[in-house]
Amino acid sequence: EVQQVEPGGISVQAGGSLTLPCIKSGFRSDEDFVVGWHRQASGDECEKVSSITRDDTTYYADSVKGRFTISQRFAENTVTAYLNMVSLKPEDTGVYYCSAAPRWLGLDANACSRSQGTQVTVSS
């Protein structure tokens, strides 16, 4: 598949794959955390897509199970997470927002309005 990096977004054809990276700093060396992605399609609500904790406990929305894989690694107070997306569908189109928080606090349900996201467009 052909991936096109457009100003402000990424375009990919249906059936293609894409990996989104996320880097979040500021966690203590002994701190438990959760990192993950929400997405918002035009006119839709903010949807939690996937998350992962420091001990690799994962969550996936039903709509992405079996197609998305989240991973993380932690070093020097920084967590680097990846959302690997395969078999992409047009309904995966939306703005993807990465966020991280202490595990006890949980990800912000309003993540879609808290930070700048990445537009992902899947064309059929």
Side-chain angles (χ1 to χ4, degrees), residues 1-4 11-19 84-88 123:
E1 75 283 4
V2 176
Q3 296 183 9
Q4 298 175 322
S11 295
V12 62
Q13 293 184 337
S17 60
L18 179 66
T19 298
N84 183 43
M85 305 181 286
V86 302
S87 300
L88 284 163
S123 57

Side-chain angles (χ1 to χ4, degrees), residues 14-122:
S17 60
L18 179 66
T19 298
L20 297 178
C22 177
I23 299 174
K24 297 292 183 182
S25 300
F27 293 100
R28 299 190 314 270
S29 59
D30 62 346
E31 188 169 14
D32 199 0
F33 59 79
V34 58
V35 59
W37 276 264
H38 287 72
R39 72 183 177 191
Q40 187 169 33
S42 179
D44 288 351
E45 295 183 351
C46 186
E47 173 192 20
K48 183 179 176 182
V49 175
S50 181
S51 66
I52 187 169
T53 61
R54 186 167 182 171
D55 65 356
D56 290 332
T57 299
T58 57
Y59 163 84
Y60 296 98
D62 288 343
S63 60
V64 306
K65 283 180 180 177
R67 299 187 299 118
F68 290 14
T69 303
I70 192 170
S71 62
Q72 63 85 15
R73 56 182 172 88
F74 181 76
E76 297 183 1
N77 305 109
T78 298
V79 56
T80 302
Y82 298 95
L83 185 65
N84 183 43
M85 305 181 286
V86 302
S87 300
L88 284 163
K89 304 175 181 179
E91 50 263 46
D92 293 319
T93 294
V95 181
Y96 285 70
Y97 300 86
C98 179
S99 62
R103 186 172 183 174
W104 65 267
L105 186 60
L107 294 179
D108 188 349
N110 295 315
C112 296
S113 59
R114 303 290 192 194
S115 61
Q116 183 177 2
T118 299
Q119 173 69 48
V120 174
T121 302
V122 183

